[in-house]
Amino acid sequence: MTSTTQPRILIIGGGIGGLCLAQGLRRAGVPVTVHERTRARTDWLQGYRIHINPRGSRALRDCLDPANWQTFVDTVSTVGGGFAFVTEHLRTLVELDEELVNKGSTDPADRHHGVSRITLREVLLNGMSDVVRFGSTFQRYETTPDGRVTAYFEDGTSDTADLLVGADGANSRVRGQLLPHAHRVDTGVLAVAGKYRLTDASRRELPAELTTRANNVLPLGPGSLFTAVWSGDRRTAAVPTTADSGLLYDPTADYAFWGYADEATRFPDSGRLDGYTGERLRQVVLDRIRRWSPDLRRLVAGSDPDTVNVVRIRSASPVDPWPTGPVTLLGDAIHNMTPMAGIGANTALRDADLLRRQLIAVRDGGRALAPAVAEYERQMLDYGFAAVRLSLRNARQAGSANPVARAAFRGLLRTAGAVPALKRRMFADIGN
């Protein structure tokens, strides 16, 4: 690895983390190129919204130029309504209002936000036409005798830089070459999720608890259900849509989201549901929650079947530090985690901001490239795999069928709901 004070950076993958890093480096004047395998910005459409917590918001603010940051603020919708743990009969165990969740802050960088993945990626692509190379599929890399790295692509082209950043997702080819021993494990948990469109009429079909806040439903028996409310982006960022995009890919629609999780073996066909239609998946969940609150059943039954899908929950195995070189990793490419903590995207944004700051220090002559990347990797592995452990713990709890443990946890939450000081202590770090 060279010690140049003006390093050139290659980023493999144009997802949220890779583009956030590219935005920050471009703004700082550090030469950067993103190689993205999709052929157009409209090829990458992911229909579910994501939660951006204050740490993710601050990373975006610090990486984006002021105009792009304002576009983000203008487009997102606030989650609103707070969060609650409830029983399967929709009885509240403990509720965290919006004031507690956002700690009273009015600064957008210190608040929680909801945003469609489509809109966020459009924000991150703004002003990047000279940086992002679409249709560039990474194949492999080689280190050069002078300590640099050359990336080779399937179209026969190559690109050389001082640092290659693998931001190419959970099935990362960069990770496969750099850390062939690193892999993801099947947690044994399966999740089925869907969307319920919220209109004036459909809102009246559900209680306020399901249309104004997020809920974690904790039954005494097996399985669990998460619900959240997303209002459409207040303004889109030239988001690509098509006439048949439907609710799944409509970033302007209001909807209630739900996700049911349990051990795969407790689903029909031992969890081999990949061939099931949306209607059949919806019925599977209705069968699982047939003794739950009629309002929860109404939420699932009223969902658009085109939005219902199944996900097998996987998680990255722990990775020991590796010798620092001209190749590193970011986001899901290294610490892919379950969605059960809602922090995967935020952890990738944190990676992007941390690596950006380290590389700016190199540009400014404050440190050499190798120590800067080593410091990034040290911190990233620490907090990244702490997030993996938290999300994995939550996934295993979602699939737990231990009624004693469930009852004890519900009792603790009820106590916290009745004792404000305990509630504040228990949830002091929410979203950070």
Side-chain angles (χ1 to χ4, degrees):
M1 180 180 287
T2 63
S3 58
T4 177
T5 57
Q6 182 64 301
R8 181 167 186 268
I9 313 302
L10 291 186
I11 299 173
I12 306 300
I16 290 172
L19 289 176
C20 184
L21 173 61
Q23 284 274 359
L25 294 178
R26 186 179 187 277
R27 182 184 178 196
V30 176
V32 58
T33 301
V34 177
H35 290 270
E36 164 58 29
R37 64 180 177 82
T38 57
R39 296 191 174 277
R41 61 197 296 157
T42 56
D43 288 345
W44 194 93
L45 295 181
Q46 295 189 359
Y48 287 98
R49 301 173 71 82
I50 55 175
H51 166 227
I52 301 297
N53 66 22
R55 193 180 293 278
S57 295
R58 289 190 289 269
L60 283 167
R61 178 200 60 192
D62 293 344
C63 288
L64 297 175
D65 64 38
N68 260 356
W69 165 246
Q70 189 59 51
T71 299
F72 170 79
V73 172
D74 289 344
T75 56
V76 300
S77 57
T78 56
V79 174
F83 177 82
F85 289 91
V86 300
T87 72
E88 69 271 35
H89 303 297
L90 214 54
R91 300 188 184 108
T92 299
L93 298 167
V94 61
E95 182 175 9
L96 313 177
D97 61 26
E98 190 174 357
E99 182 74 10
L100 187 151
V101 169
N102 286 307
K103 298 180 173 60
S105 176
T106 59
D107 184 345
D110 292 324
R111 292 179 63 86
H112 296 256
H113 303 283
V115 64
S116 70
R117 291 177 182 270
I118 300 169
T119 296
L120 177 56
R121 190 167 187 255
E122 284 299 306
V123 170
L124 291 170
L125 282 169
N126 281 347
M128 301 289 279
S129 59
D130 59 335
V131 170
V132 181
R133 297 182 184 174
F134 289 102
S136 186
T137 302
F138 173 81
Q139 189 176 56
R140 62 185 177 87
Y141 68 81
E142 291 180 0
T143 56
T144 63
D146 62 355
R148 304 181 82 207
V149 59
T150 298
Y152 296 90
F153 302 92
E154 289 187 355
D155 62 2
T157 62
S158 63
D159 203 352
T160 300
D162 299 288
L163 179 68
L164 184 150
V165 181
D168 49 339
N171 297 310
S172 170
R173 286 187 176 182
V174 179
R175 183 191 67 236
Q177 183 175 349
L178 178 66
L179 304 172
H181 58 282
H183 60 280
R184 295 191 300 154
V185 297
D186 188 337
T187 66
V189 175
L190 209 64
V192 179
K195 291 181 176 183
Y196 176 104
R197 185 186 291 273
L198 291 174
T199 63
D200 290 343
S202 67
R203 286 177 189 272
R204 291 193 290 270
E205 299 294 319
L206 298 175
E209 290 88 345
L210 295 178
T211 61
T212 60
R213 73 183 187 195
N215 300 277
N216 196 335
V217 183
L218 299 175
L220 283 177
S224 67
L225 185 77
F226 176 77
T227 78
V229 182
W230 301 106
S231 57
D233 296 337
R234 295 195 301 274
R235 181 168 66 83
T236 62
V239 175
T241 57
T242 62
D244 60 351
S245 59
L247 176 59
L248 184 60
Y249 297 115
D250 183 359
T252 66
D254 293 356
Y255 67 87
F257 164 84
W258 57 267
Y260 178 84
D262 200 355
E263 284 190 9
T265 55
R266 285 197 282 268
F267 283 91
D269 296 328
S270 298
R272 292 186 289 272
L273 309 181
D274 292 342
Y276 280 37
T277 65
E279 289 183 357
R280 192 176 180 190
L281 289 170
R282 187 176 59 184
Q283 188 58 52
V284 166
V285 175
L286 287 170
D287 291 343
R288 303 282 300 158
I289 65 172
R290 60 185 178 276
R291 294 188 177 90
W292 290 21
S293 161
D295 291 316
L296 291 171
R297 289 179 51 80
R298 195 171 294 115
L299 170 68
V300 174
S303 299
D304 183 340
D306 289 341
T307 71
V308 181
N309 60 49
V310 61
V311 179
R312 188 170 292 277
I313 306 300
R314 293 180 170 87
S315 181
S317 295
V319 175
D320 291 329
W322 60 87
T324 296
V327 179
T328 193
L329 299 165
L330 178 152
D332 280 350
I334 178 62
H335 47 60
N336 175 241
M337 62 194 73
T338 84
M340 302 304 189
I343 53 178
N346 294 288
T347 308
L349 292 171
R350 183 177 181 179
D351 292 351
D353 187 41
L354 172 60
L355 185 52
R356 173 193 69 89
R357 287 186 276 113
Q358 294 296 323
L359 295 174
I360 289 174
V362 175
R363 179 207 64 185
D364 293 343
R367 66 190 322 172
L369 183 57
V373 175
E375 179 60 18
Y376 159 73
E377 291 171 345
R378 183 189 68 79
Q379 293 187 44
M380 176 271 293
L381 287 173
D382 182 44
Y383 67 70
F385 278 95
V388 170
R389 289 191 295 272
L390 172 62
S391 67
L392 182 58
R393 184 198 69 186
N394 289 357
R396 287 173 173 162
Q397 287 177 345
S400 171
N402 186 330
V404 175
R406 285 280 176 96
F409 186 49
R410 288 181 14 159
L412 176 61
L413 292 173
R414 280 196 184 93
T415 302
V419 181
L422 176 59
K423 179 168 71 173
R424 287 193 297 271
R425 286 198 300 271
M426 280 185 65
F427 299 100
D429 294 329
I430 188 169
N432 292 325

